Amino acid sequence: MKLRLRWITAGFASVAIALLASACQPEPVTYIAKTKPNTQVLTWVHHFDEEGARKWLEWGTQSFTKAHPSVTFNLTGVDGGNYMSLLRTRAVSNNMPDMYMIDNLEYAQDLIRSGYAMDLTGQPFLAQIDERYMSGVRSADGRIWALPIDVNGAGVIYNKEAFAKAGIDHPPVTWEQFIADCKALQKAGIIPIAAGYKDSWTITWDIAADLLANQYASGRNWISDVEAGRASFADDSIHFRSILQRFGERLNYVNAKPFDTDWNQAQVLLADGRAGMIINGTWTVDGVKSKNPQSNLGLFAFPYSKDPQDAKFGLKSTGGIVVNAKSPHKEAALQTLALFASKEMGDVFQKDKKALSVIKGLPTDFDPTYVELDDKYIQSGFTYDWSSLPTDFINLDLQKAFVNALTKFVLDHDHNPDLCIQELDQAFDRIRKPFK
């Protein structure tokens, strides 16, 4: 799902910056249904880019309208990189939608505190959700703020036919094997790793699987510690230098001109078998298969160490669908959530979005890609829960500094980790006071 994690502000104070940044961005895409007199029109803002996710959303809302003719929907799709900034801009102008999506409960606390999220605790439709996937929408006081929809993973998506063409008979489980496979793909005339850095969020997601795995292994929320000034990039408490070194090493195997390649183009490279891998989230499966439904894809854990036991797939469900507590259409919105929590919508979700639903009792063999994930990782216990581990900084200025430093690291021919770390610590110290 994309969810791809987004540049996020700590509060409304940085909305002005967000407005300046969004001024140069494409306009949001809005789907406006036909309306009749006395119709309730529910506005729903989302950040779904993949075709399957949009089909699921449109199918569900159209089904609801068929059963409730007095209700219709305006669906607005927003670019992921600007999503939370746009929501906060709308909050400041008291123009929040009736329903919207969040990726991470922690990053939406300002919207919750401002009364733009309805407390869903005790709603009957929540009984349809697998309890294992409720932690990401439950605050410390036990209240539920969103309807979770899917299980997102951070890892590697690969083209099985490209691997076979390169003579690779199984995914790598160590870093050394990963690099050897990159060389084998390159020798076979296949781009080892597709990179779409024209969409800057993909740069952070190119290191997210490595970063999350090391945060989990260290047992600490390192990004939050750095944001608060309790840790630095230089202290190397989660081996950030090694994460950068691995990033620099595999940059030798990405497509030419990655900054001229956007996310959709990168997915096409994998869909057509011109590339062997993309390092990103499991939502990539939907995106790639929307380009080529015949793509034979697989998923494997990012193998960051020499120990195969460390190759675990990060899975989580955080965030989901939020109802605006100030909406005049709250009852209709809650009824909509009840539909989207049904097994029927879960089946549509898995079929169209090509992602694991959080709804109870659904099959796991809906797509061969997920059969492999279930057999190799979920059933064998080779997963970890990254619900409480962020990939982005909440403060927009810190996140921009992070992306800028990583961008310079990619452009630096030497891919010097020490230079990148020095720049990151200096930039972060300028933006927030060092921890005493």
Side-chain angles (χ1 to χ4, degrees):
M1 171 199 51
K2 183 155 7 108
L3 171 276
R4 284 67 53 99
L5 294 178
R6 321 295 182 204
W7 293 353
I8 301 171
T9 60
F12 297 138
S14 50
V15 166
I17 298 173
L19 283 168
L20 289 173
S22 62
C24 300
Q25 300 297 330
E27 290 294 319
V29 177
T30 304
Y31 166 79
I32 304 177
K34 293 181 179 179
T35 62
K36 299 178 181 179
N38 302 319
T39 295
Q40 293 186 71
V41 181
L42 271 68
T43 55
W44 189 338
V45 176
H46 64 88
H47 53 62
F48 291 132
D49 175 60
E50 299 83 9
E51 180 182 353
R54 289 177 180 267
K55 283 183 177 179
W56 163 78
L57 193 58
E58 290 172 10
W59 192 94
T61 52
Q62 289 167 12
S63 295
F64 188 88
T65 296
K66 185 179 293 186
H68 303 82
S70 64
V71 178
T72 189
F73 296 84
N74 284 357
L75 304 178
T76 301
V78 178
D79 173 73
N82 304 307
Y83 180 73
M84 289 301 291
S85 293
L86 180 137
L87 281 183
R88 291 188 167 96
T89 300
R90 293 185 66 154
V92 167
S93 60
N94 196 27
N95 186 32
M96 282 290 282
D98 300 298
M99 304 171 69
Y100 59 95
M101 317 296 295
I102 59 169
D103 289 334
N104 189 294
L105 195 63
E106 180 182 354
Y107 293 170
Q109 286 301 307
D110 55 336
L111 298 177
I112 293 172
R113 287 192 299 268
S114 299
Y116 288 114
M118 186 175 181
D119 183 354
L120 302 179
T121 309
Q123 290 293 334
F125 54 76
L126 293 177
Q128 300 294 326
I129 308 301
D130 190 324
E131 179 60 31
R132 291 178 298 175
Y133 304 124
M134 292 299 295
S135 61
V137 295
R138 182 185 288 120
S139 54
D141 59 8
R143 290 189 287 176
I144 306 296
W145 298 101
L147 173 69
I149 56 175
D150 65 348
V151 182
N152 284 323
V156 185
I157 305 89
Y158 74 104
N159 186 306
K160 292 184 178 181
E161 292 178 3
F163 268 47
K165 183 178 178 181
I168 304 168
D169 55 10
H170 61 83
V173 293
T174 67
W175 177 244
E176 290 76 12
Q177 291 175 8
F178 181 87
I179 293 299
D181 288 348
C182 286
K183 292 177 179 178
L185 287 163
Q186 198 172 61
K187 186 176 180 181
I190 299 167
I191 299 166
I193 305 169
Y197 297 158
K198 189 173 183 179
D199 291 309
S200 59
W201 70 267
T202 64
I203 299 176
T204 58
W205 266 92
D206 213 330
I207 69 166
D210 201 348
L211 187 63
L212 288 168
N214 279 275
Q215 284 190 97
Y216 177 79
S218 69
R220 64 182 299 184
N221 188 330
W222 177 79
I223 281 188
S224 293
D225 287 345
V226 172
E227 178 145 9
R230 294 186 296 266
S232 69
F233 293 92
D235 67 23
D236 212 31
S237 53
I238 63 159
H239 311 294
F240 184 70
R241 188 178 189 280
S242 296
I243 293 171
L244 284 179
Q245 284 180 317
R246 284 188 289 272
F247 185 32
E249 189 172 355
R250 67 177 183 272
L251 284 171
N252 295 313
Y253 302 102
V254 304
N255 45 284
K257 299 182 179 180
F259 287 101
D260 292 336
T261 305
D262 65 22
W263 175 234
N264 279 321
Q265 291 169 326
Q267 291 177 95
V268 169
L269 290 175
L270 187 65
D272 294 345
R274 284 177 285 164
M277 296 177 277
I278 284 180
I279 305 170
N280 208 284
T282 50
W283 52 80
T284 307
V285 175
D286 177 17
V288 173
K289 290 203 171 186
S290 69
K291 275 74 176 174
N292 179 8
Q294 304 307 314
S295 299
N296 188 5
L297 304 179
L299 293 161
F300 66 87
F302 183 79
Y304 67 91
S305 79
K306 295 181 179 180
D307 186 353
Q309 299 300 310
D310 289 337
K312 296 181 178 180
F313 209 103
L315 294 173
K316 68 140 188 178
S317 180
T318 57
I321 309 171
V322 179
V323 173
N324 178 1
K326 299 181 182 181
S327 165
H329 309 302
K330 290 192 292 291
E331 291 306 315
L334 287 173
Q335 291 175 339
T336 303
L337 289 195
L339 171 65
F340 275 81
S342 68
K343 288 185 68 173
E344 178 186 21
M345 283 304 297
D347 280 326
V348 173
F349 183 85
Q350 293 196 154
K351 174 179 173 291
D352 285 346
K353 194 177 183 295
K354 303 293 187 298
L356 287 169
S357 171
V358 299
I359 297 171
K360 294 177 181 176
L362 295 179
T364 57
D365 59 353
F366 62 95
D367 185 275
T369 308
Y370 287 94
V371 170
E372 181 181 31
L373 178 68
D374 188 57
D375 288 346
K376 186 171 181 181
Y377 294 99
I378 298 176
Q379 297 302 323
S380 63
F382 267 71
T383 63
Y384 66 90
D385 182 0
W386 58 283
S387 296
S388 62
L389 299 175
T391 58
D392 291 338
F393 296 93
I394 296 175
N395 182 286
L396 179 61
D397 292 330
L398 294 179
Q399 181 64 17
K400 285 184 177 180
F402 187 54
V403 173
N404 287 341
L406 290 179
T407 299
K408 290 181 181 179
F409 179 80
V410 175
L411 294 171
D412 174 15
H413 179 74
D414 296 325
H415 307 309
N416 188 324
D418 295 318
L419 190 62
C420 183
I421 287 170
Q422 182 181 17
E423 179 176 340
L424 280 166
D425 277 331
Q426 289 175 351
F428 273 52
D429 283 346
R430 285 195 301 270
I431 296 166
R432 52 101 175 107
K433 294 180 179 179
F435 180 72
K436 299 296 184 181

